Amino acid sequence: MASLSHKDLLGIEQLSIEDINLILDTAEALREVAARPVKKVPTLRGKTVVNLFFEPSTRTRSSFELAEKRLSADILNFASTTSSVSKGETLLDTAHNLESMAPDIIVIRHQSAGAPHLLGRECRSSIVNAGDGMHEHPTQALLDALTVRTVKGRLDGLKIAIIGDISHSRVARSDTLLFHKMGAEVWVCGPPTLIPWDFDRLGARITGCMDEAIDGADVIMMLRLQHERQNEAFIPSTREYYNFYGLTRERMRRAKKDTIVMHPGPLNRGVEIDSDVADADYSVILNQVANGVATRMAVLYLLSGYAGLKVKKTSR
Ligand code: CP
């Protein structure tokens, strides 16, 4: 029976290499559902999934909803702005009230690091972390890994450069943990004010020089400046930031011929990435979004403990 060895998916930190390979192999098997005339399988029929989003989202929220619909789950979309949270109800009371309606899985995005972990301890349902503060975004890292593995055929031995606002990025943390765990050489790059001094403890090499990060990189992952999480000035100006850390066509000329460019979105065109780079053939940004649906289908399926899908296992 294909299933994860955990009740919840809270972060990459908790996943073994076997867990990660199982999720990626399952996502690969489920990817073809999107190419069918009827994009639906009965895998989660009779299961209920609550999408509990306390922060804005385009990609994560839409792809979880599509993943749930393609797996035939019943869905409850919870919008915090129109809920009783605005009347002062706590996260735990909200979760306990929703749980009394018997959902099987709760997908949560929250501005506070650790919010999904709290629900994981308190709730009977499986909890999926869809992004918690500046902590982790595990399904983003998994879809990023699926995208790299699809294009490059492997993760181990690749040089992966993650460039931008590392400090405020949950994607940077989850990606670094995952890619390092899977044997890639991870470099993080950005202004010293936007890189935590102890980030090397996650397995990354740190540089302030973009040319050093890009040199020989198989994958360049650009991140946006997260102004919504910055309450002080970390850079002199966005123009200066662009000059030092913007990914331009000129900089891409110095990259390897088969380097791919990634970005979790949303893009700030002309700040961390130029439009002609974001839209170039070597950009796989929209492939990441497409892989998000299959990856989230895989996570939901594996957490539900369903045993009806044949997954071709890989040793990668
Ligand atoms: N990558 C990502 O989490 O995008 P959204 O904030 O739009 O979900």
Side-chain angles (χ1 to χ4, degrees):
M1 173 172 161
S3 66
L4 284 178
S5 50
H6 310 273
K7 172 177 92 61
D8 310 306
L9 176 61
L10 302 175
I12 297 300
E13 216 158 8
Q14 69 173 156
L15 295 181
S16 64
I17 292 172
E18 291 71 31
D19 287 331
I20 293 168
N21 275 327
L22 176 63
I23 295 169
L24 300 185
D25 293 345
T26 307
E28 229 165 57
L30 287 166
R31 200 160 38 188
E32 58 87 22
V33 174
R36 294 184 187 181
V38 179
K39 300 177 181 59
K40 223 170 175 62
V41 289
T43 311
L44 290 193
R45 196 163 54 197
K47 303 277 184 191
T48 304
V49 184
V50 174
N51 297 313
L52 195 54
F53 277 67
F54 290 87
E55 270 193 343
S57 168
T58 296
R59 283 146 289 269
T60 311
R61 188 178 179 138
S62 316
S63 58
F64 264 113
E65 189 171 338
L66 271 183
E68 291 149 11
K69 286 180 171 161
R70 288 182 184 170
L71 291 170
S72 307
D74 295 318
I75 302 173
L76 176 68
N77 285 320
F78 173 92
S80 61
T81 46
T82 54
S83 74
S84 289
V85 169
S86 59
K87 301 175 200 162
E89 191 161 36
T90 65
L91 170 64
L92 261 188
D93 279 338
T94 303
H96 282 146
N97 276 272
L98 291 170
E99 232 204 358
S100 67
M101 302 179 209
D104 298 284
I105 300 176
I106 298 176
V107 177
I108 176 172
R109 168 169 287 194
H110 201 277
Q111 60 278 11
S112 299
H117 302 69
L118 176 65
L119 296 201
R121 285 193 298 275
E122 293 285 330
C123 295
R124 169 195 51 77
S125 317
S126 288
I127 305 298
V128 182
N129 181 359
D132 62 325
M134 298 187 288
H135 180 224
E136 277 229 43
H137 194 350
T139 57
Q140 179 70 45
L142 288 160
L143 74 88
D144 288 342
L146 179 64
T147 306
V148 173
R149 204 178 81 163
T150 303
V151 179
K152 298 289 181 188
R154 65 194 167 98
L155 296 170
D156 63 296
L158 297 180
K159 176 176 176 180
I160 300 180
I162 304 175
I163 301 170
D165 179 356
I166 307 297
S167 289
H168 300 97
S169 172
R170 52 198 175 206
V171 176
R173 283 182 61 82
S174 289
D175 272 356
T176 299
L177 285 165
L178 189 154
F179 287 133
H180 175 65
K181 213 171 252 197
M182 301 306 282
E185 180 187 315
V186 183
W187 287 68
V188 297
C189 172
T193 49
L194 289 174
I195 302 183
W197 63 270
D198 59 349
F199 214 77
D200 55 347
R201 284 165 57 177
L202 302 185
R205 300 189 193 193
I206 298 175
T207 179
C209 171
M210 192 159 174
D211 286 337
E212 188 182 17
I214 285 177
D215 184 40
D218 300 285
V219 177
I220 299 174
M221 170 83 67
M222 298 305 298
L223 301 174
R224 75 186 170 90
L225 288 171
Q226 301 216 3
H227 293 292
E228 75 275 24
R229 299 192 204 280
Q230 298 178 11
N231 47 16
E232 54 186 287
F234 288 93
I235 52 165
S237 68
T238 48
R239 178 180 288 271
E240 195 156 55
Y241 180 82
Y242 170 81
N243 286 339
F244 282 98
Y245 299 105
L247 190 59
T248 60
R249 207 154 48 173
E250 175 53 33
R251 283 210 162 98
M252 280 307 293
R253 281 197 197 102
R254 287 177 241 156
K256 290 204 303 187
K257 288 240 172 327
D258 62 349
T259 304
I260 57 170
V261 171
M262 302 176 70
H263 194 306
L267 306 183
N268 287 145
R269 291 172 184 263
V271 179
E272 75 273 4
I273 190 165
D274 271 354
S275 272
D276 48 10
V277 173
D279 302 331
D281 287 346
Y282 48 68
S283 162
V284 294
I285 293 170
L286 294 180
N287 304 44
Q288 290 172 261
V289 180
N291 283 328
V293 180
T295 302
R296 285 161 181 141
M297 285 171 81
V299 166
L300 295 165
Y301 156 70
L302 290 169
L303 286 176
S304 77
Y306 184 82
L309 181 84
K310 277 210 170 79
V311 176
K312 205 175 114 224
K313 284 213 169 185
T314 175
S315 56
R316 275 173 294 203

